[in-house]
Amino acid sequence: MRETFHIIMSMYDSYNGTGMQPALCFACLIYLMVQKKEKEKRFLFLGYTLLFFIICFFPLTAKAVMRVCTGEEMYWRMFWLLPSAIITAYTAVVILMQADGKIKRYLLLSVMLLVIVMTGTNVYSGAVFERKQNHYNLPQAAMNICDIVEQDAKADGITHKKLIAAHEILSSVRQYDADILQPYGYDVLCGGKPDTEAAAQIYRIMDAEEKNWEALGFYAAMDDCNYLAYPAAEGDIEGLTDCGFDIVGAEEEYYIYRRDDGKERYKGRWLITQYGLGEGQQLMFYTMQDLEGHLIVVDGGWTTDADNVREIITRLGSHVDAWILTHPHPDHIGAFTELYKNLGSIKIDKVYTVDMAEPEVCLETAPWDDTAIYEEFKKLDIPQLTYVYAGDTFEIKGLAVEVLNAYDDNVKKLSEDLLNDGSMMFRVTAKEESMLFCADVGRDMSDYLLKTYGDDLKSDYIQMGHHGNGGLKSDFYKMVRAKKAFFDAPDWLMNDKSGRYTTMKNTYLMASNGAKIYSFSTAPNQMILK
């Protein structure tokens, strides 16, 4: 309620401008109230204005209008319904008609015009109006883009034309050429919801300051978008070529790209997404999806993240082919444990986890630990559950999975922190690339894993052990030689300089070895596993 009221008042303050015009309107209302001859008009204007303020300023009705009609960002348009100009103009006419003699009327009119000029602003300014560029009264750039797309499509016999357009020209493209489809319309820019999850993700990427071209290419293929118009001021984007987009035309303000390979480019490839759901908390939650609709979930975060996890999985189709639970810490299995009590529309085919030591055994080596969620998890009846062990290999819808570490006698022998060191460390491999998930495996297992696997640890991407804090030794990470490193950590942990945490040290280590760093500050973070 309070947040909604703040939004209303903020927009009303912007509508007010200097505040003089609304003040003039209210002065006119007061004048009409005391006029005996204007009884009917008085009730009309006062009644309407009062009704307007009740509806538009009361948080419950305002929230309903935002949800159904305008969206939050465009609620300011409601203030157009306030009849300020009509009330002011009508009152001016009443005053002029009651004045005796022409000279007095002209003097009053002059004063009124002066008041309006002095209290208002010039709307005919370059910030609002610009000289029209064509008889369509549309931006010439938008028309040029449509013409280029139509000419290119005609030359290559393309009948399906679906364009991802920069937001500033999106509505103009639709007005000029309705034959060119788009993943979403102007209503989405005003707070509406796209029709598909792919369209929603395309909007998110196009609205972001830093564009993820890899993810855009994936979602463009998913939503059958084959054209893209992007500002020429950004230059020819190299990353777009890697996603299958090639320049087919240009005009003064935009480059126009086309992709020809449909979904072929992404066969056997997986889009991996790292989420950062918690408010300043460390957690682990990833999804992997392909264009055939298969979905793999890794962990999920805290119990309090369950609703967000449910929403994400529902948006992705509600069908989880495999849910991998690395170990039973609350920031890893909390959301799953909560969701599994009431899955609703979510269907889970397989659940993979480690055969961890009993909670009381784990507490013997780490008495500070929290096993409440672990104990709750053990009470669940999960018929699709499979325990995995170090050395196991299996396949999930064409994605190869190799388990490098899981709780066993080696962990029991070497570790003083069974819950963390008994995590499932696993590697997923697509056609060309692999990603190593270290979960919370720590220093006690580093030397053993390095000795056991050696150069076989090499992976293209890595999820950092124990959120990048503590965890595995530098020699282990150097052997992996990853191109991208994912830290499941919030800003405070990534930037801590107290010396209590080693996240900054590990960030420097990975960056100095050529890895690009990702953390919750930019989540959701996405990449294509080729």
Side-chain angles (χ1 to χ4, degrees):
M1 291 276 286
R2 183 179 298 177
E3 183 182 350
T4 302
F5 187 70
H6 284 320
I7 293 170
I8 297 167
M9 293 309 300
S10 174
M11 292 185 175
Y12 185 63
D13 287 342
S14 298
Y15 168 80
N16 275 346
T18 63
M20 295 303 295
Q21 289 292 320
L24 185 61
C25 175
F26 289 123
C28 291
L29 281 173
I30 294 172
Y31 178 83
L32 291 176
M33 285 177 63
V34 300
Q35 287 294 303
K36 297 180 180 179
K37 295 181 179 180
E38 301 299 325
K39 186 175 181 180
E40 292 183 1
K41 304 295 189 301
R42 182 172 64 206
F43 286 127
L44 175 64
F45 287 132
L46 286 175
Y48 177 87
T49 305
L50 181 62
L51 180 63
F52 170 86
F53 275 96
I54 290 174
I55 293 174
C56 293
F57 281 83
F58 186 58
L60 287 178
T61 52
K63 193 70 175 177
V65 172
M66 290 179 192
R67 186 179 294 113
V68 178
C69 302
T70 66
E72 192 173 290
E73 293 181 3
M74 292 295 157
Y75 189 72
W76 56 270
R77 290 184 175 178
M78 288 296 294
F79 298 116
W80 290 351
L81 299 177
L82 185 62
S84 303
I86 298 172
I87 292 171
T88 305
Y90 180 79
T91 306
V93 171
V94 169
I95 294 172
L96 289 173
M97 294 300 293
Q98 292 177 352
D100 297 328
K102 289 185 178 180
I103 295 176
K104 194 172 182 179
R105 288 181 181 176
Y106 283 128
L107 283 174
L108 280 172
L109 180 60
S110 300
V111 171
M112 290 175 181
L113 291 174
L114 184 62
V115 170
I116 291 172
V117 170
M118 295 300 292
T119 59
T121 55
N122 178 21
V123 297
Y124 296 100
S125 64
V128 180
F129 293 92
E130 61 182 27
R131 187 178 296 277
K132 73 175 185 178
Q133 298 173 306
N134 48 69
H135 67 275
Y136 289 96
N137 285 339
L138 293 172
Q140 189 62 42
M143 296 170 58
N144 293 341
I145 289 168
C146 292
D147 291 341
I148 291 170
V149 169
E150 291 289 4
Q151 291 167 12
D152 179 76
K154 184 177 181 180
D156 284 83
I158 298 171
T159 56
H160 174 80
K161 299 158 290 187
K162 195 166 188 178
L163 172 72
I164 300 172
H167 289 169
E168 61 268 18
I169 58 166
L170 183 145
S171 59
S172 300
V173 166
R174 182 151 295 179
Q175 289 178 62
Y176 182 68
D177 191 340
D179 288 338
I180 297 177
L181 305 175
Q182 295 183 87
Y184 50 85
Y186 185 73
D187 59 318
V188 173
L189 304 186
C190 299
K193 289 188 176 182
D195 294 333
T196 66
E197 174 60 14
Q201 294 295 336
I202 292 171
Y203 169 77
R204 179 184 62 80
I205 294 167
M206 292 299 290
D207 195 51
E209 188 171 334
E210 184 176 345
K211 308 292 189 288
N212 186 333
W213 301 119
E214 265 195 327
L216 183 71
F218 181 89
Y219 288 118
M222 182 179 284
D223 207 50
D224 291 324
C225 298
N226 53 348
Y227 284 96
L228 168 69
Y230 200 71
E234 300 289 331
D236 180 11
I237 307 298
E238 184 178 347
L240 284 173
T241 303
D242 296 335
C243 301
F245 284 98
D246 295 308
I247 290 181
V248 293
E251 60 99 52
E252 187 176 345
E253 298 180 46
Y254 293 89
Y255 285 138
I256 295 83
Y257 299 83
R258 186 186 77 209
R259 51 182 302 277
D260 293 321
D261 50 9
K263 298 183 179 180
E264 194 66 31
R265 173 179 294 269
Y266 293 96
K267 280 189 175 179
R269 298 185 180 186
W270 292 75
L271 179 73
I272 298 180
T273 304
Q274 175 203 42
Y275 301 89
L277 303 177
E279 291 292 331
Q281 294 179 302
Q282 62 182 35
L283 59 95
M284 183 170 166
F285 175 34
Y286 290 78
T287 60
M288 307 181 216
Q289 57 184 132
D290 66 4
L291 284 187
E292 295 178 25
H294 299 128
L295 175 64
I296 301 169
V297 179
V298 180
D299 286 351
W302 302 84
T303 300
T304 52
D305 297 316
D307 287 342
N308 285 326
V309 173
R310 181 188 299 277
E311 180 184 350
I312 289 168
I313 292 174
T314 301
R315 289 202 318 254
L316 297 178
S318 297
H319 182 189
V320 180
D321 292 277
W323 198 315
I324 298 173
L325 300 170
T326 60
H327 67 291
H329 260 147
D331 57 331
H332 291 257
I333 68 161
F336 173 88
T337 303
E338 185 67 20
L339 275 177
Y340 203 83
K341 297 172 185 176
N342 179 21
L343 286 174
S345 62
I346 295 175
K347 178 186 176 184
I348 304 172
D349 290 349
K350 283 279 190 179
V351 178
Y352 297 96
T353 193
V354 294
D355 191 6
M356 183 60 70
E358 292 298 315
E360 56 271 19
V361 176
C362 295
L363 290 175
E364 288 176 8
T365 57
W368 60 84
D369 227 329
D370 180 2
T371 60
I373 298 298
Y374 179 19
E375 292 169 1
E376 202 172 321
F377 172 81
K378 288 180 69 66
K379 294 176 183 177
L380 295 175
D381 179 21
I382 310 174
Q384 62 270 60
L385 178 64
T386 298
Y387 289 113
V388 297
Y389 305 89
D392 284 354
T393 59
F394 52 96
E395 188 178 280
I396 305 173
K397 302 302 178 182
L399 187 69
V401 182
E402 175 188 5
V403 181
L404 279 66
N405 184 77
Y407 177 75
D408 58 14
D409 289 340
N410 289 311
V411 175
K412 189 174 181 180
K413 177 182 177 182
L414 297 170
S415 174
E416 295 181 357
D417 187 355
L418 300 183
L419 272 174
N420 280 328
D421 288 336
S423 296
M424 185 198 311
M425 179 186 287
F426 66 98
R427 177 165 48 204
V428 293
T429 304
K431 288 185 176 180
E432 304 171 20
E433 296 179 327
S434 62
M435 180 167 176
L436 181 64
F437 287 83
C438 299
D440 279 0
V441 180
R443 297 181 67 83
D444 290 344
M445 300 303 296
S446 275
D447 292 338
Y448 169 77
L449 293 169
L450 192 57
K451 182 179 178 181
T452 302
Y453 296 103
D455 197 55
D456 287 342
L457 289 172
K458 172 71 178 73
S459 303
D460 296 284
Y461 314 106
I462 188 170
Q463 175 265 322
M464 299 293 288
H466 202 256
H467 312 273
N469 170 44
L472 297 151
K473 295 180 180 179
S474 57
D475 287 346
F476 179 93
Y477 289 127
K478 288 177 182 177
M479 184 63 76
V480 175
R481 306 190 295 280
K483 296 179 289 188
K484 295 181 180 180
F486 292 82
F487 287 70
D488 299 308
D491 286 351
W492 67 266
L493 185 55
M494 292 296 294
N495 301 310
D496 179 81
K497 297 179 182 178
S498 67
R500 182 181 176 187
Y501 307 102
T502 62
T503 318
M504 288 190 73
K505 179 182 175 182
N506 284 331
T507 301
Y508 177 78
L509 169 70
M510 299 306 294
S512 63
N513 282 281
K516 187 172 181 180
I517 307 299
Y518 296 91
S519 71
F520 288 174
S521 64
T522 54
N525 298 307
Q526 297 180 304
M527 50 153 263
I528 300 293
L529 188 70
K530 298 178 182 177

